[in-house]
Amino acid sequence: MPCFWIWRPFGAFRGTPLNPLNPLNLFFYTFARMKKYVVAIDQGTTSTRCIIFDRMGRIVSSGQKEHEQIYPKPGWVEHDPVEIWKNTLEVIAQARIARSIGVDDIAAAGITNQRETTVVWNRKTGRPYYNAIVWQDTRTGDLVRYYQAQEIDDDWYRITTGLPLATYFSALKLRWLLDNIPNLRRDAEKGIALFGTMDSYLIWNLTGGPKGGLHVTDMTNASRTQLFNIFKGTWEDEILLRLQIPPDMLPEIVPSSRFLATITAEPLRGVPLSGAIGDQQAALLGQACLEPGEAKNTYGTGCFLLMNTGTKIVPSQCGLLTTIAYQFDRDKPRYALEGSVAVAGALVQWLRDNLGLIRDSSEIEALARSVDDNGGVYFVPAFSGLYAPYWNASARGIIAGLTGFVNKGHLARAVLEATAFQTFEVLRAMEQDSGIKLANLRVDGGMVVNELLMQFQADMLQVPVIRPKMIETTALGAAYAAGLAVGYWSGPKEIRKNWSVDKTWEPQISSQERRLFDMYWHKAVEKSFDWEE
């Protein structure tokens, strides 16, 4: 591992100044600072992007390409890993070519990814055994019920991993693959079949693939598999035994920010790969939420509210997840409470693609503003059950309160309000678990350009909602993880300096109006329960 030790002096990310008496430290720090840019690969649920950032955290160039959403059966959601890998190479090339950026200008590269999405591939050939099973997929519902029935202590999985038994996480997706894909279990027991989330699959391919690719995952992604003991910081042998998962399939667990390898894939050949972090934790880092009690909400395909709890593990009593926020090299891991909402921006896409009420997602705000209120309509988007704080896999989506008065504007408004209502429930649970009353909420993701939604969110939360100037915080967090590891950024102070406010929304509605909204929303949610037997 000589290369690892060469790069290890880039230790300023711990928040401590470099030792000027160490010439090697100073040399490598100066070398990294001479570089112009850091590359972030953002592998998301609907597309893959490459964004290149400068030292001020500004976007210099980018490339993006969507991939196919595969729905073999109701409730099943898949992606083609090979398509995603090809798209990754393409978007890296797009971003570099757009601004004629050479690899010599790049200090480091980092990866952020859709979490929980599960892929298995052959170590010798690199070929996936099956499509990637996406985090939204519900095919493991029977397995969830089976293992719930086996538990004497219903909270054993939650206590050990910070996660409840649910279709959301990777472990039961992997068990399904082992049970259903020919030859996979045989190859897994021989050490030929590899398992990973999308970060592992991309890192393996970027660093050589069948010719010695690195099989790793970072702490944040490991903590979303439900195979990880959040207290020990290691894979949990008891869970592997219970779920009959061969341990040789699993990647090595590494920090979120550390030099891992030199990239061998052509678009970034020779660039240090030094960051890997799950998408929502990346957004937390990109929002500079580095102190306990600081929180952000990302409005994307789903909606994900995270609060930094520092070095303290906070078990949830209110239906939230306890997860790893990030780990910088040999520092102690930082933890977070998370509330996960399955359907947010995906509901707008559904309104566009399935009902055809809008031609483009950006049209929904104007349609929603065509009416004064929701007309009494409440939309519970439980397409794959309800996540936090209910964890009700048998719930299904409903539209409640329909009358002859309702038009498509009311439906559009109800679609937007559903995201705000779900966030409100998660934040309320988070304040109860943490004992911390949030002073404000930092927001990011594609939906934050919708000002009607942001205002209604502030109204429901009764705290200011703050949108930063840089809303691509997920990719920025991956860039920070990579850049901190090599000294491109000197530490947390420099990250905080890059963060700045674009717009703030203050609450405007009365407490009585808020209580009425909350009451009707809960009536609608209760109607969605236990739809599936």
Side-chain angles (χ1 to χ4, degrees), residues 422-491:
Q422 292 177 100
T423 298
F424 168 62
E425 290 191 296
V426 168
L427 181 60
R428 182 163 51 190
M430 192 165 286
E431 290 180 337
Q432 290 174 342
D433 272 335
S434 66
I436 298 171
K437 177 70 175 175
L438 252 66
N440 57 62
L441 181 66
R442 298 182 181 186
V443 298
D444 56 69
M447 295 183 78
V448 300
V449 298
N450 190 309
E451 303 209 354
L452 180 64
L453 170 60
M454 292 298 99
Q455 181 59 60
F456 190 70
Q457 189 70 87
D459 292 340
M460 287 305 301
L461 299 182
Q462 291 293 291
V463 298
V465 168
I466 302 173
R467 182 176 69 195
K469 289 183 178 179
M470 170 53 67
I471 63 173
E472 297 291 355
T473 55
T474 300
L476 182 58
Y480 281 152
L484 288 168
V486 300
Y488 180 81
W489 286 290
S490 59

Side-chain angles (χ1 to χ4, degrees), residues 81-139:
V82 175
E83 179 191 9
I84 288 176
W85 167 234
K86 290 178 179 177
N87 288 356
T88 300
L89 298 178
E90 185 173 331
V91 297
I92 294 169
Q94 284 176 6
R96 283 191 51 207
I97 291 169
R99 293 294 298 273
S100 300
I101 295 171
V103 291
D104 291 340
D105 294 323
I106 300 170
I111 290 177
T112 185
N113 58 287
Q114 52 169 318
R115 305 167 305 169
E116 299 93 22
T117 295
T118 301
V119 61
V120 288
W121 68 97
N122 188 292
R123 182 194 299 272
K124 294 181 178 180
T125 67
R127 288 196 295 268
Y129 288 87
Y130 188 76
N131 282 336
I133 301 180
V134 180
W135 57 273
Q136 301 154 310
D137 189 282
T138 61
R139 76 185 67 189

Side-chain angles (χ1 to χ4, degrees), residues 235-252:
W235 300 123
E236 175 52 56
D237 292 337
E238 177 66 21
I239 295 179
L240 297 177
L241 185 64
R242 292 187 185 201
L243 301 188
Q244 301 173 34
I245 292 174
D248 288 345
M249 298 185 76
L250 304 185
E252 177 189 353

Side-chain angles (χ1 to χ4, degrees), residues 283-294:
L284 190 75
L285 184 56
Q287 285 273 33
C289 294
L290 301 172
E291 295 296 328
E294 294 182 330

Side-chain angles (χ1 to χ4, degrees), residues 12-252:
F13 52 79
R14 299 190 191 117
T16 56
L18 287 165
N19 180 0
L21 300 179
N22 185 333
L24 188 61
N25 243 11
L26 189 57
F27 170 77
F28 282 120
Y29 177 79
T30 304
F31 178 77
R33 297 285 288 188
M34 288 172 61
K35 301 286 186 175
K36 296 179 181 179
Y37 310 118
V38 171
V39 167
I41 298 165
D42 181 357
Q43 201 297 291
T45 305
T46 58
S47 71
T48 303
R49 299 183 300 167
C50 176
I51 301 181
I52 301 177
F53 293 94
D54 66 12
R55 203 175 317 284
M56 301 298 292
R58 298 173 301 203
I59 294 175
V60 176
S61 185
S62 66
Q64 180 172 3
K65 189 169 185 180
E66 292 188 357
H67 52 263
E68 183 183 5
Q69 305 296 309
I70 304 168
Y71 304 102
K73 297 180 182 181
W76 291 29
V77 189
E78 298 175 2
H79 294 157
D80 179 354
V82 175
E83 179 191 9
I84 288 176
W85 167 234
K86 290 178 179 177
N87 288 356
T88 300
L89 298 178
E90 185 173 331
V91 297
I92 294 169
Q94 284 176 6
R96 283 191 51 207
I97 291 169
R99 293 294 298 273
S100 300
I101 295 171
V103 291
D104 291 340
D105 294 323
I106 300 170
I111 290 177
T112 185
N113 58 287
Q114 52 169 318
R115 305 167 305 169
E116 299 93 22
T117 295
T118 301
V119 61
V120 288
W121 68 97
N122 188 292
R123 182 194 299 272
K124 294 181 178 180
T125 67
R127 288 196 295 268
Y129 288 87
Y130 188 76
N131 282 336
I133 301 180
V134 180
W135 57 273
Q136 301 154 310
D137 189 282
T138 61
R139 76 185 67 189
T140 58
D142 289 342
L143 282 171
V144 170
R145 288 183 283 274
Y146 171 79
Y147 281 104
Q148 285 174 336
Q150 302 302 307
E151 289 308 305
I152 298 173
D153 179 358
D154 290 341
D155 285 334
W156 186 84
Y157 282 91
R158 183 191 291 275
I159 291 168
T160 305
T161 67
L163 315 173
L165 278 168
T167 60
Y168 182 17
F169 309 109
S170 308
L172 294 181
K173 301 182 196 303
L174 177 55
R175 172 60 192 269
W176 186 93
L177 288 163
L178 287 164
D179 289 347
N180 289 277
I181 304 307
N183 302 323
L184 177 57
R185 184 171 290 278
R186 180 201 66 190
D187 286 359
E189 290 171 350
K190 291 180 179 180
I192 298 172
L194 302 179
F195 151 76
T197 42
M198 292 308 299
D199 61 315
S200 298
Y201 179 69
L202 293 183
I203 290 170
W204 188 81
N205 278 289
L206 285 166
T207 58
K211 299 179 181 179
L214 195 64
H215 187 213
V216 299
T217 191
D218 92 295
M219 291 282 280
T220 66
N221 280 291
S223 72
R224 311 298 297 195
T225 61
Q226 203 155 52
L227 300 172
F228 177 85
N229 187 311
I230 199 165
F231 294 95
K232 296 177 183 177
T234 60
W235 300 123
E236 175 52 56
D237 292 337
E238 177 66 21
I239 295 179
L240 297 177
L241 185 64
R242 292 187 185 201
L243 301 188
Q244 301 173 34
I245 292 174
D248 288 345
M249 298 185 76
L250 304 185
E252 177 189 353

